[in-house]
């Protein structure tokens, strides 16, 4: 593999890791507050559909982004209502959201566009275009550093840069602000937070809302930046991969970014190399395509270290009288 090919693979890694990273950070906020959310997949899927549909109808990608965030927030509200207000089972609520999104997106798309459960292909104004960083063209000819800056760092959509800037922002919010301290405390000992006069329910709803916003951006990125429209089940298990990355990272933002980049690298290699030769053995592309999902199973089976979730995670809080 030459240097230019390596840069291209890493460029694809960044693009493919972006929706995983946004969904992973979404789950990080929610689960740090004690609300387990396996409905990331459904919220991303719903956001992908509505962002593509509104962008196709209006020709405005920003309206599509807002529509995707709004639809994801609606599902987050349902999850919060079921698991926080009515103290229902958080896992069942997440599964219900996944099934609801999988069915509704295809049903509405078929009724709206009559294209077999997909949206029309988005034109230029309906998609997020690449952003060229300053001096990227002039520095392209510089050995080594030039291609890294002009090909790897430059040329991504605004949502890619937002996703990676959200990592240090999340770290700062969680570990350097009063809100982050309270959020983490709610996931560990909600009774202590309640005793301090802080609303446990309010904090958990705030975390669920942040989760909805980030999932909405992730879904919008899939449909309006990574691809040019919505197709059935286009999230393809990314919500569950993001959950595996979150567990792999032990609910920490910087480690979450590394885990998402690892999954993105596996997907990029599978797309770039159809068959990989290892000595006399030829690894078919189907094996490479399955690698992210195999790694997900390995992580969730507990083979990659011991990951201890927030102590109050998954448990509804009942205020003592």
């Amino acid at each position: 593999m030459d240097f230019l090919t390596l840069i291209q693979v890493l460029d694809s890694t960044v693009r493919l890791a972006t929706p995983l990273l946004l969904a992973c950070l979404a789950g990080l906020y929610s689960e740090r507050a004690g609300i387990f959310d396996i409905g990331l997949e459904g919220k991303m899927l719903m956001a992908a559909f509505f962002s593509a549909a509104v962008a196709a109808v209006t020709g405005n990608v920003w309206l599509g982004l807002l529509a995707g965030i709004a639809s994801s927030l609606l599902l987050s509200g349902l999850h919060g209502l079921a698991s926080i207000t009515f103290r229902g089972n958080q896992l069942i609520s997440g599964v219900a959201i996944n099934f609801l999104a999988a069915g509704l997106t295809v049903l509405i798309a078929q009724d709206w566009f009559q294209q077999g459960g997909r949206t029309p292909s988005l034109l230029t104004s309906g998609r997020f275009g690449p952003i060229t960083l300053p001096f990227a063209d002039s520095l392209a000819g510089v050995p080594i550093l030039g291609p890294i800056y002009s090909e790897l760092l430059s040329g991504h959509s605004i949502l890619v840069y937002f996703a990676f800037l959200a990592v240090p922002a999340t770290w700062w919010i969680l570990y350097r602000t009063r809100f982050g301290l309270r959020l983490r405390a709610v996931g560990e000992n909600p009774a202590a937070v309640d005793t301090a006069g802080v609303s446990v329910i309010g904090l958990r709803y705030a975390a669920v809302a942040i989760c909805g916003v980030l999932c909405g951006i992730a879904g919008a990125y899939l449909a309006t930046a990574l691809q040019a429209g919505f197709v059935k089940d286009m999230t393809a298990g990314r919500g569950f991969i993001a959950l595996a990355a979150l567990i792999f990272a032990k609910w920490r933002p910087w480690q979450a970014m590394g885990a998402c980049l690892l999954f993105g690298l596996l997907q990029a290699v599978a797309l770039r190399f159809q068959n990989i030769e290892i000595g006399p053995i030829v690894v078919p592309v189907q094996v490479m395509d399955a690698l992210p999902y195999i790694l997900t199973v390995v992580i969730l089976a507990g083979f990659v270290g011991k990951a201890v979730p927030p102590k109050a995670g998954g448990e509804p809080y009942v205020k003592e009288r």
Side-chain angles (χ1 to χ4, degrees):
M1 181 187 298
D2 58 20
F3 181 70
L4 183 58
T5 302
L6 176 62
I7 292 295
Q8 292 172 347
V9 170
L10 293 178
D11 179 70
S12 298
T13 298
V14 170
R15 298 175 193 271
L16 293 170
T18 296
L20 298 178
L21 179 57
L22 287 167
C24 189
L25 293 177
L28 176 64
Y29 279 102
S30 183
E31 297 196 8
R32 276 290 191 173
I35 304 297
F36 288 161
D37 192 355
I38 62 172
L40 300 176
E41 177 88 359
K43 283 181 276 193
M44 289 173 64
L45 188 62
M46 189 71 81
F49 166 70
F50 276 102
S51 62
V54 172
V57 171
T58 64
N60 190 318
V61 68
W62 291 102
L63 290 178
L65 175 63
L66 290 177
I69 293 174
S71 63
S72 179
L73 275 173
L74 180 61
L75 291 183
S76 287
L78 289 176
H79 182 57
L81 191 66
S83 59
I84 300 173
T85 302
F86 295 113
R87 304 178 190 134
N89 188 291
Q90 298 173 9
L91 300 182
I92 293 176
S93 175
V95 170
I97 285 175
N98 289 335
F99 281 116
L100 180 66
L104 274 183
T105 50
V106 176
L107 179 66
I108 300 174
Q110 178 61 24
D111 181 70
W112 199 345
F113 301 105
Q114 289 84 43
Q115 294 190 11
R118 60 190 301 161
T119 62
S121 296
L122 299 177
L123 302 176
T124 304
S125 60
R127 297 189 64 194
F128 284 103
I131 296 175
T132 302
L133 297 180
F135 310 111
D137 295 332
S138 59
L139 294 175
V142 177
I144 300 179
L145 293 180
I148 292 176
Y149 182 73
S150 61
E151 297 291 335
L152 180 58
L153 300 181
S154 179
H156 299 289
S157 72
I158 190 171
L159 298 185
V160 173
Y161 298 113
F162 172 83
F164 283 90
L165 288 175
V167 175
T170 296
W171 175 86
W172 182 78
I173 290 172
L174 289 179
Y175 297 102
R176 291 294 183 269
T177 67
R178 182 177 298 177
F179 172 77
L181 175 62
R182 290 173 175 175
L183 192 73
R184 289 183 289 123
V186 163
E188 297 291 340
N189 192 344
V193 175
D194 194 17
T195 303
V198 180
S199 172
V200 173
I201 292 177
L203 279 171
R204 286 188 166 180
Y205 265 111
V208 168
I210 296 172
C211 175
V213 171
L214 291 175
C215 281
I217 298 173
Y221 173 80
L222 282 175
T224 61
L226 192 63
Q227 298 185 34
F230 173 84
V231 295
K232 178 183 177 183
D233 295 330
M234 70 180 305
T235 47
R238 285 181 173 89
F240 300 108
I241 294 177
L243 280 177
L246 183 59
I247 296 171
F248 188 20
K250 296 179 174 62
W251 294 270
R252 291 175 292 184
W254 288 108
Q255 288 82 348
M257 182 180 72
C260 291
L261 286 172
L262 173 61
F263 281 107
L265 176 63
L266 294 177
Q267 292 179 344
V269 170
L271 290 174
R272 181 76 183 181
F273 304 101
Q274 295 300 305
N275 294 292
I276 296 180
E277 296 183 4
I278 304 177
I281 301 174
V282 177
V283 181
V285 65
Q286 291 82 0
V287 174
M288 298 305 299
D289 287 334
L291 273 182
Y293 305 98
I294 294 172
L295 183 58
T296 300
V297 173
V298 169
I299 291 173
L300 293 179
F303 293 114
V304 186
K306 184 179 180 181
V308 180
K311 294 179 181 178
E315 297 294 330
Y317 177 66
V318 181
K319 185 180 178 71
E320 295 183 1
R321 298 186 182 277

